[in-house]
Amino acid sequence: MLSASELAGRLAQDAEAVCRHYLSAGRRAGNYWLVGDVGNNKGRSLYVHLIGSRAGRWTDAATGQFGDLLDLVRETCGLVDFRDVAEEARHFLSLPQPESVSDLRGDVGDASPIERPATERARRLFRMTQPLAGTLADIYLRGRGILRASAHGALRFHPSCYYRDFVTGRTASHPALVAAVTDAAGAITGVHRTYLSSGLDPDGVGKAKLDDPRRALGGLLGNAVRFRFLVDAPVPVLAAGEGLETMLSLSHVMPGMPMVAALTANHLAGFHFPPGCRRIYIAADADAAGRHGIEGLSRRAQAHGILPLVLSPELGDFNDDLRRRGPDRLTASLRAQLTPEDAVAFLP
């Protein structure tokens, strides 16, 4: 029976074939395979080394996810149990199936030794940030209709945050909105960075003109950026979604409801529910990866006896609703989608 490392090594021997099969929306560029994300969406933020000593190693520059081709199989197929990951890899390699497969890696949700330094770097970066109020990051969010972002302790500002282009290797520094990713106990496990323009552009403060202006670092799986959470307190009702701006827009009109931004569809599907949760509102994202996240989280919620309810925007997303329709129209739309008791408790 091949071990996990041996299976990963066999996959890496034909890394391009693996990519063409599991990441068919991507393309080869030199010694790399480029694609949007592990959901096989078009783009170029995820890159896979195809040759050399690092063949099979991959990184998603937008989310900070990384790993080998076994991890890639797990993510693209939405698998959790290592037995299923190994079976899928063996199927691709046309290897005989053993009578039993032992998970030599342990629980795939656990942080591996290579991830722990990333978590420490994330904590160090967050310690180097400053309060949000009055900064470029605050101006950026206000420009998107989010006026009370500085009330959230999870959001901070870094005036000159390090940035490296993973394809070219070039480095630079940009101002950045930095969000803390935390676990249920409130411990920081990672950070999310939105790199910003200098504010001197004619259009004001926006995202930096980079191929991947959003990046995450550290342990995201099961964790999230949290708003309005009390550590270790029961959370009977909460809202969850992918993007920071989506959830901040909802928080703008429902400031009393606990909310989480999981940052990607895959991490939304794997979010760990807080104690005492009875209902979870899932902010819809219309793309394929977003639907995968909604469906995955809904299934897990039902398995835990939690009622999942989907909140749908009128336009492209809830930030579009907030900016273009206004908070009153957004409030009215949400009132029709919440349960009556939650509408009374959380809406004006």
Side-chain angles (χ1 to χ4, degrees):
M1 179 181 69
L2 295 180
S3 68
S5 60
E6 289 170 332
L7 275 174
R10 290 288 295 272
L11 291 169
Q13 289 174 14
D14 203 355
E16 184 172 349
V18 176
C19 292
R20 289 188 182 279
H21 181 76
Y22 292 101
L23 298 174
S24 57
R27 60 182 178 83
R28 179 162 185 163
N31 296 331
Y32 300 92
W33 187 266
L34 303 180
V35 70
D37 53 35
V38 292
N40 196 28
N41 291 298
K42 291 185 180 296
R44 49 179 294 182
S45 66
L46 189 151
Y47 62 96
V48 185
H49 295 264
L50 298 179
I51 64 174
S53 61
R54 291 187 58 77
R57 306 297 300 185
W58 60 274
T59 299
D60 188 333
T63 67
Q65 291 174 278
F66 60 92
D68 58 27
L69 291 179
L70 266 188
D71 299 314
L72 189 67
V73 169
R74 182 192 73 209
E75 293 289 341
T76 56
C77 295
L79 303 174
V80 175
D81 189 85
F82 180 78
R83 181 187 301 274
D84 298 329
V85 179
E87 182 178 352
E88 174 65 24
R90 287 177 173 277
H91 178 75
F92 177 83
L93 294 167
S94 299
L95 294 175
Q97 296 294 328
E99 292 184 4
S100 63
V101 179
S102 299
D103 183 355
L104 301 181
R105 294 185 170 195
D107 185 348
V108 295
D110 292 343
S112 64
I114 198 170
E115 290 175 321
R116 284 198 289 271
T119 295
E120 292 305 316
R121 293 199 304 273
R123 291 171 179 168
R124 181 174 180 271
L125 174 60
F126 198 73
R127 290 196 296 268
M128 296 169 64
T129 58
Q130 62 191 60
L132 189 72
T135 65
L136 279 176
D138 193 15
I139 295 170
Y140 165 74
L141 291 173
R142 286 177 175 273
R144 303 192 69 83
I146 302 165
L147 307 181
R148 295 186 289 272
S150 60
H152 299 295
L155 302 178
R156 305 272 291 183
F157 175 68
H158 196 300
S160 184
C161 195
Y162 176 81
Y163 175 87
R164 178 174 180 268
D165 187 312
F166 287 119
V167 176
T168 67
R170 294 174 182 170
T171 62
S173 295
H174 300 273
L177 167 65
V178 181
V181 177
T182 57
D183 61 18
I188 294 177
T189 63
V191 292
H192 181 270
R193 294 151 291 175
T194 302
Y195 291 94
L196 304 173
S197 64
S198 65
L200 302 178
D201 302 294
D203 296 330
V205 180
K207 297 186 188 71
K209 292 179 174 59
L210 303 168
D211 287 339
D212 49 350
R214 299 181 186 272
R215 284 190 180 172
L217 171 68
L220 273 64
L221 186 60
N223 306 314
V225 181
R226 298 168 193 262
F227 308 116
R228 304 299 184 193
F229 266 71
L230 296 176
V231 175
D232 294 330
V235 184
V237 180
L238 80 153
E242 290 182 51
L244 278 176
E245 290 159 26
T246 289
M247 301 316 296
L248 285 169
S249 297
L250 289 175
S251 184
H252 182 79
V253 296
M254 295 191 293
M257 181 180 286
M259 299 195 181
V260 299
L263 304 178
T264 73
N266 283 322
H267 290 110
L268 178 62
F271 173 67
H272 293 166
F273 303 109
C277 185
R278 299 196 308 269
R279 282 187 301 284
I280 182 167
Y281 290 98
I282 308 174
D285 198 327
D287 61 18
R291 290 194 295 274
H292 162 76
I294 293 169
E295 292 167 0
L297 186 60
S298 295
R299 286 194 300 269
R300 291 184 53 248
Q302 290 170 342
H304 284 76
I306 299 168
L307 175 64
L309 299 167
V310 177
L311 298 178
S312 298
E314 293 185 300
L315 301 176
D317 59 42
F318 285 109
N319 190 244
D320 284 342
D321 284 7
L322 177 63
R323 289 185 296 124
R324 296 167 58 185
R325 297 290 177 85
D328 291 343
R329 176 70 175 264
L330 176 56
T331 298
S333 173
L334 292 171
R335 191 181 304 280
Q337 300 183 65
L338 299 181
T339 66
E341 61 183 294
D342 292 336
V344 170
F346 296 111
L347 288 175

